[in-house]
């Protein structure tokens, strides 16, 4: 009888001590798991659809470039309007050419035609010195040259 009580007591004690291990083993009470072990989370995951990045419009491109162009060339309001409308037309034509996706040689020819037309319109609307400064700025990708600071030599 005493051995039966000892056996029951030891069984009960072993069960009580191993409940914590079993709960940890199968995820009971875990805030991240579920009742069925380590299968998957019960929180549904939403499928994120990548948003398509829309290319900038011609107006946005010209708006980004106009402050640096006006500053570098020192344009008055009339000249700024001429440059803005000319650039807007040429950028719009370039965007349309990109949408058409022509053959590379044909695309290059069309780009050159657009560039020539743009330069002709700018030459007619701007004074010679500002036109030449614009062409130089265009070759530098619309980034004005930074003035280098002279360093004082110390003796």
């Amino acid at each position: 009888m005493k051995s039966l009580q000892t056996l029951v007591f030891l069984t009960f004690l072993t069960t009580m001590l191993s409940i914590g291990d079993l709960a940890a083993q199968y995820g009971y009470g875990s805030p991240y798991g579920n009742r069925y072990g380590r299968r998957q989370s019960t929180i549904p995951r939403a499928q994120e659809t990548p948003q398509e990045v829309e290319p900038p419009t011609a107006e946005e491109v010209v708006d980004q470039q106009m402050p640096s162009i006006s500053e570098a060339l020192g344009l008055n309001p009339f000249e700024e309007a001429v440059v803005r409308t000319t650039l807007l037309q040429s950028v719009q034509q370039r965007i349309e050419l990109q949408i058409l996706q022509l053959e590379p040689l044909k695309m290059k020819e069309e780009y050159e035609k657009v560039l020539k037309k743009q330069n002709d319109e700018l030459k007619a609307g701007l004074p010679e010195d500002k036109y030449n400064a614009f062409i130089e700025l265009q070759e530098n990708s619309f980034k004005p040259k930074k003035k280098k600071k002279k360093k004082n030599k110390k003796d």
Side-chain angles (χ1 to χ4, degrees):
M1 182 80 172
K2 188 158 183 142
S3 69
L4 183 62
Q5 285 179 345
T6 307
L7 185 63
V8 170
F9 178 72
L10 287 175
T11 305
F12 178 72
L13 185 63
T14 307
T15 305
M16 291 306 282
L17 292 175
S18 64
I19 283 180
D21 292 335
L22 290 174
Q25 180 81 25
Y26 291 104
Y28 296 125
S30 171
Y32 304 109
N34 55 17
R35 297 183 61 109
Y36 308 109
R38 294 183 171 181
R39 291 186 187 163
Q40 65 184 13
S41 174
T42 57
I43 300 171
R45 294 186 181 182
Q47 294 288 335
E48 292 184 20
T49 56
Q51 295 179 350
E52 295 180 11
V53 178
E54 295 181 13
T57 62
E59 291 179 6
E60 292 171 349
V61 172
V62 172
D63 287 341
Q64 289 174 353
Q65 293 178 348
M66 277 309 293
S68 64
I69 294 171
S70 297
E71 182 180 325
L73 301 179
L75 300 176
N76 63 33
F78 174 74
E79 294 168 342
E80 190 173 333
V82 169
V83 171
R84 179 176 173 71
T85 55
T86 304
L87 288 179
L88 192 62
Q89 290 173 355
S90 66
V91 169
Q92 182 63 37
Q93 290 174 352
R94 289 178 186 160
I95 289 173
E96 291 171 359
L97 287 174
Q98 287 177 348
I99 291 172
L100 292 176
Q101 295 178 347
L102 302 173
E103 297 174 6
L105 293 176
K106 182 74 172 169
M107 183 78 82
K108 184 177 179 181
E109 290 174 10
E110 293 297 323
Y111 272 149
E112 289 173 356
K113 287 180 186 176
V114 169
L115 184 62
K116 186 177 184 319
K117 182 179 175 185
Q118 170 190 326
N119 289 340
D120 291 342
E121 290 178 7
L122 286 174
K123 193 170 190 176
L126 292 176
E128 187 69 30
D129 59 334
K130 290 185 180 180
Y131 172 74
N132 291 335
F134 178 81
I135 296 299
E136 183 178 326
L137 188 66
Q138 188 176 17
E139 289 172 359
N140 294 333
S141 301
F142 295 103
K143 295 179 184 172
K145 292 182 179 179
K146 295 183 180 178
K147 295 180 181 177
K148 296 182 180 179
K149 295 181 181 177
K150 294 183 179 179
K151 295 183 180 179
N152 294 333
K153 294 183 179 179
K154 294 182 180 179
D155 292 326

